[in-house]
Amino acid sequence: MKSKLLLLLLFLLVHLQNSAQNKKVLLEETITNVITAFREKNTKAINNYVSKENGITILVKYGVLNNYKIIDSLNFNNPTPNYLPYAEPVSNAKITYNTSPTFDCNTYTWSTKGLFCDTLKTNALLSNTIKNLKYELSSTTYSNELKRALDLKKLATELFWLIRMTKT
């Protein structure tokens, strides 16, 4: 009986490890495809990765506070916001699974360069942005948008990934 239980546990651990490895491979393929689509300005390819339910949320800073805009697709000829073209990736580097690099506002430089996946950190910028806009939104819009932002944050937490690319 013990040997069957140990065999079952071993099978489960191997399955979980393979599942995690498959997710990592899928993530790396997706990142490579997105970087390639951005580099080639391939609207069709990039929009295949856009959620039909959630679209894309673009975070912008017009003044003191961050703001956001939800769009259903990317268009390289008509960026959002329209005065700021989408950045062109400069690296197709191997992904480093480590803490995200930091940006020094005094020197305008990153602490390290490359493509990073931080598996320990979840970004709360969208939900914090909406919380800061509480008095500018109607109460219904505020409640709906905050719920949406927190759901997206939960999804990101479940995926365990925060990707950051710094110029090389």
Side-chain angles (χ1 to χ4, degrees):
M1 183 67 169
K2 272 186 177 179
S3 64
K4 286 183 181 180
L5 182 60
L6 286 174
L7 187 60
L8 179 63
L9 287 173
L10 179 62
F11 175 76
L12 182 61
L13 287 173
V14 169
H15 176 72
L16 289 174
Q17 184 176 4
N18 285 340
S19 177
Q21 184 63 30
N22 289 341
K23 286 180 182 178
K24 182 178 174 184
V25 168
L26 180 61
L27 173 70
E28 290 179 3
E29 287 175 6
T30 301
I31 291 168
T32 299
N33 293 343
V34 168
I35 289 172
T36 301
F38 261 91
R39 185 174 287 121
E40 296 172 355
K41 295 186 177 10
N42 185 336
T43 301
K44 184 178 182 195
I46 200 73
N47 286 322
N48 284 333
Y49 291 99
V50 176
S51 166
K52 304 297 181 220
E53 299 83 35
N54 296 308
I56 303 169
T57 303
I58 307 286
L59 291 163
V60 293
K61 187 173 231 169
Y62 294 116
V64 176
L65 293 178
N66 288 325
N67 211 319
Y68 68 100
K69 180 169 174 108
I70 301 168
I71 58 177
D72 59 1
S73 63
L74 285 179
N75 180 341
F76 290 103
N77 296 323
N78 186 21
T80 302
N82 61 359
Y83 61 85
L84 187 62
Y86 296 121
E88 185 173 324
V90 293
S91 174
N92 207 4
K94 185 177 185 322
I95 300 170
T96 302
Y97 294 88
N98 203 341
T99 304
S100 290
T102 56
F103 188 76
D104 184 335
C105 294
N106 293 324
T107 63
Y108 298 105
T109 58
W110 289 95
S111 59
T112 186
K113 298 175 186 324
L115 183 58
F116 296 87
C117 181
D118 188 338
T119 59
L120 302 176
K121 186 176 179 184
T122 302
N123 196 318
L125 185 57
L126 178 59
S127 56
N128 290 341
T129 296
I130 293 170
K131 287 175 186 175
N132 288 334
L133 296 172
K134 179 177 184 173
Y135 299 107
E136 295 183 30
L137 302 171
S138 72
S139 61
T140 304
T141 302
Y142 173 76
S143 297
N144 291 342
E145 289 298 302
L146 186 58
K147 181 185 180 324
R148 179 180 164 279
L150 293 173
D151 288 347
L152 287 172
K153 182 180 174 186
K154 181 180 175 193
L155 177 63
T157 303
E158 289 169 0
L159 294 174
F160 302 114
W161 310 113
L162 174 65
I163 304 298
R164 174 157 298 148
M165 185 170 72
T166 59
K167 290 186 175 186
T168 55

